[in-house]
Amino acid sequence: MVAFPALAAFAAFSFLIEPGRLVVRKVSVKSGKWPKTTRPLRVAVIADLHVGAPHVGLRTVERIVEKTNRLRPGVIVLLGDYVIRRVLFGSFVRPREIAKRLGGLKAPLGVIAVLGNHDWWYDGRHVWRELKKAGIVVLENDVHAIDAGGGRVWFAGLADSTTRSPDPRGTVAKVPDGEPVIVLSHDPAVFPAVPKRAILTLAGHTHGGQVNLPFLNPLATPGRHFRHKYGLIREGGKLMYVSSGIGTSILPARFNMPPEMVLGT
């Protein structure tokens, strides 16, 4: 008899409370690859909005934009999956409306985005166009430079690995030798192929496992690599941060993994 109340409490928390929370995760990244003449960079990271999923409507996006702007980041990066496909109790929201809200993001060095698998399952070109209209730089196996003060910093945005063909080596090779590069990828699965010269890789896609029960594999992890599911990961002399993101996919539930925005310095 005890099991039923405990299961009901777990379900209520996972479906009604945890997905509606939003934490700001502050992450300090120190790397010997960062040029001493270049100022530290404040980067805000927003991943996996899945707008239209329960708990993530357009008003939620507006609150996220307001909250991000108050953090005063130097640059903002968006890591894909702006729309939803096949989310229980979800309601599709047009990319135009999502992009219109994201166009309110303000950072002196700009807003840079990559697309995710849900975006391409819907219509990646359409999502891309709407983000671009909103003043957001969209990258796919391409690079973009910003003047961080004391030198340029490059962002290398990769194609989604589920629906497209990411080229980590070829993309990073577009950055001039000796200049710092941060890799943006929707999916952390590309991490083993990212060249060691990259200072940091930023990724989403996994939702941090979404439903994380003690001593068990996550119940709702998108992606292929449990070891790359969440947080700051050091591997093979390289560094990656995987965000738990904002929305949900498949199940509109989270447990032991609240939605997050990330502020990296």
Side-chain angles (χ1 to χ4, degrees), residues 168-237:
R169 297 190 184 280
T171 304
V172 171
K174 296 179 181 181
V175 177
D177 290 342
E179 297 199 12
V181 56
I182 296 171
V183 172
L184 308 179
S185 175
H186 176 63
D187 191 334
V190 302
F191 187 49
V194 171
K196 286 188 176 181
R197 66 169 289 195
I199 289 173
L200 176 67
T201 298
L202 296 170
H205 184 56
T206 66
H207 304 179
Q210 198 168 297
V211 177
N212 291 275
L213 300 176
F215 312 113
L216 296 174
N217 284 332
L219 299 184
T221 304
R224 291 163 279 172
H225 297 284
F226 284 137
R227 76 176 190 274
H228 293 156
K229 75 170 185 176
Y230 177 69
L232 198 60
I233 297 162
R234 298 179 186 273
E235 187 174 286

Side-chain angles (χ1 to χ4, degrees), residues 15-168:
F15 283 87
L16 301 177
I17 298 175
E18 183 89 323
R21 296 175 60 201
L22 179 62
V23 301
V24 176
R25 192 84 60 199
K26 295 186 177 179
V27 180
S28 180
V29 177
K30 298 186 184 300
S31 171
K33 300 173 187 176
W34 190 263
K36 294 180 180 178
T37 57
T38 303
R39 295 175 188 168
L41 185 62
R42 286 167 62 88
V43 182
V45 181
I46 300 172
D48 298 283
L49 282 163
H50 290 288
V51 183
H55 302 283
V56 189
L58 290 173
R59 182 66 190 115
T60 305
V61 179
E62 291 169 0
R63 288 197 296 269
I64 290 168
V65 167
E66 293 164 4
K67 198 165 193 173
T68 304
N69 290 344
R70 287 198 298 270
L71 294 172
R72 299 183 180 277
V75 64
I76 300 168
V77 300
L78 309 176
L79 299 181
D81 277 3
Y82 310 98
V83 301
I84 59 167
R85 301 288 286 169
R86 300 182 299 277
V87 177
L88 193 63
F89 307 123
S91 178
F92 182 77
V93 177
R94 294 184 180 279
R96 180 181 180 183
E97 297 303 320
I98 300 169
K100 188 185 300 183
R101 273 69 177 184
L102 292 176
L105 290 166
K106 304 298 180 187
L109 301 176
V111 183
I112 307 168
V114 293
L115 300 188
N117 52 299
H118 283 255
D119 305 314
W120 286 107
W121 283 337
Y122 169 65
D123 184 344
R125 293 295 174 192
H126 180 53
V127 176
W128 189 323
R129 284 195 303 269
E130 294 300 335
L131 291 173
K132 188 176 178 180
K133 286 179 189 175
I136 296 168
V137 175
V138 183
L139 300 176
E140 184 179 75
N141 292 338
D142 207 353
V143 298
H144 176 76
I146 62 172
D147 184 353
R152 291 188 300 184
V153 176
W154 292 80
F155 287 85
L158 302 181
D160 171 60
S161 64
T162 302
T163 58
R164 309 284 282 175
S165 300
D167 181 12

